[in-house]
């Protein structure tokens, strides 16, 4: 398939069709990973939400949009709340899978780089694709209070194995580090849309954790 067709295929969060070949098999495997029973937030709903955000971004060339779609599909494919290398492992899997799909080494490397940015959500200067991916991944923080609370509850469920005495200060520390980011959303359009609400949501959750 050409780049426009590939872009349309990977922007679609639905299940693959029988005739989709290796790309369809790969998407089916990714969907299965996002359906693991321990996932409450980092699941296909999150991936579909991120793809929807990307689809609404105007002015992206097919090549850029496809790389970002790849990064979204693979960025949480390995997710185990008991380990600290999920992003790195997901990036490595993306490299292997995309190479098997026939993508150029440069594309595989760029997608892996983008995925690893979601570890700390920090982006350097002059990195518009990194800024966009990180901002899309953090979009939930700037949604309505009700949507944010549903997200926070889902995260707590994913960390159900951690007692409150450890979860509360740990989660509060993570949220404070996010709040320290200036700006929280590196992409200007997302900053204008979500920054104020995200800071209000984060501050409110921190208060409930104290």
């Amino acid at each position: 398939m050409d780049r426009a067709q590939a872009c349309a295929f990977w922007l679609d969060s639905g299940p693959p069709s029988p005739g989709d070949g290796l790309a369809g098999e790969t998407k089916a495997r990714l969907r299965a990973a996002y359906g693991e029973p321990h996932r409450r937030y980092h699941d296909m709903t999150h991936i579909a939400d991120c793809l929807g955000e990307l689809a609404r971004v105007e002015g992206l060339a097919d090549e850029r949009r496809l790389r970002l779609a790849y990064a979204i599909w693979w960025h949480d494919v390995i997710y185990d709340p008991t380990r600290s290398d999920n992003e790195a492992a997901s990036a490595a899997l993306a490299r292997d899978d995309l190479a098997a799909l026939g993508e150029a080494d440069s594309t595989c490397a760029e997608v892996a780089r983008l995925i690893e940015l979601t570890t700390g959500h920090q982006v350097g200067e002059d990195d518009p694709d990194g800024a966009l991916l990180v901002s899309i991944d953090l979009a939930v923080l700037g949604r309505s209070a009700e949507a944010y609370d549903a997200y926070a509850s889902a995260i707590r469920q994913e960390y159900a194995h951690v007692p409150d005495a450890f979860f509360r200060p740990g989660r509060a520390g993570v949220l404070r580090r996010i709040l320290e980011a200036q700006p929280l959303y590196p992409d200007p359009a997302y900053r204008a849309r979500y920054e104020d609400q995200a800071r209000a949501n984060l501050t409110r959750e921190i208060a409930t954790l104290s």
Side-chain angles (χ1 to χ4, degrees):
M1 61 181 74
D2 63 26
R3 305 313 268 172
Q5 291 172 322
C7 195
F9 178 82
W10 289 104
L11 281 176
D12 181 1
S13 60
S17 301
D20 287 333
L22 182 57
E25 294 173 12
T26 303
K27 180 186 278 190
R29 178 164 49 80
L30 294 173
R31 287 178 59 85
Y34 286 111
E36 292 169 338
H38 65 277
R39 296 175 185 254
R40 294 294 182 271
Y41 173 71
H42 295 88
D43 57 10
M44 268 308 302
T45 299
H46 173 54
I47 299 305
D49 180 63
C50 288
L51 292 172
E53 289 282 345
L54 176 60
R56 288 187 288 273
V57 177
E58 298 179 352
L60 292 178
D62 286 343
E63 192 67 34
R64 289 181 65 195
R65 196 180 296 274
L66 181 57
R67 286 196 300 262
L68 287 161
Y70 283 150
I72 287 170
W73 268 103
W74 269 269
H75 82 284
D76 284 326
V77 67
I78 294 177
Y79 181 72
D80 179 352
T82 67
R83 56 190 283 183
S84 60
D85 65 340
N86 290 306
E87 292 85 1
S90 295
L93 182 59
R95 279 180 180 270
D96 292 343
D97 284 348
L98 293 175
L101 288 171
E103 288 291 354
D105 289 347
S106 58
T107 296
C108 298
E110 174 63 3
V111 171
R113 184 191 74 82
L114 290 170
I115 291 170
E116 296 215 42
L117 290 176
T118 65
T119 304
H121 296 97
Q122 297 298 305
V123 180
E125 294 183 6
D126 195 24
D127 186 4
D129 287 353
L132 185 53
L133 178 68
V134 163
S135 296
I136 286 173
D137 194 33
L138 296 178
V140 67
L141 304 183
R143 302 270 170 76
S144 68
E146 181 181 19
Y148 181 90
D149 290 347
Y151 147 77
S153 175
I155 293 295
R156 183 63 185 104
Q157 292 174 53
E158 289 184 340
Y159 284 85
H161 60 284
V162 180
D164 264 359
F166 296 100
F167 177 82
R168 285 176 172 270
R171 172 70 173 167
V174 169
L175 299 183
R176 289 190 184 98
R177 286 191 291 276
I178 295 174
L179 269 176
E180 289 171 359
Q182 298 292 337
L184 194 157
Y185 291 96
D187 179 79
Y190 275 81
R191 190 181 316 145
R193 189 184 316 157
Y194 289 135
E195 184 98 7
D196 291 345
Q197 182 64 45
R199 291 189 179 280
N201 285 333
L202 292 165
T203 300
R204 183 167 51 84
E205 186 183 357
I206 290 170
T208 70
L209 294 167
S210 300

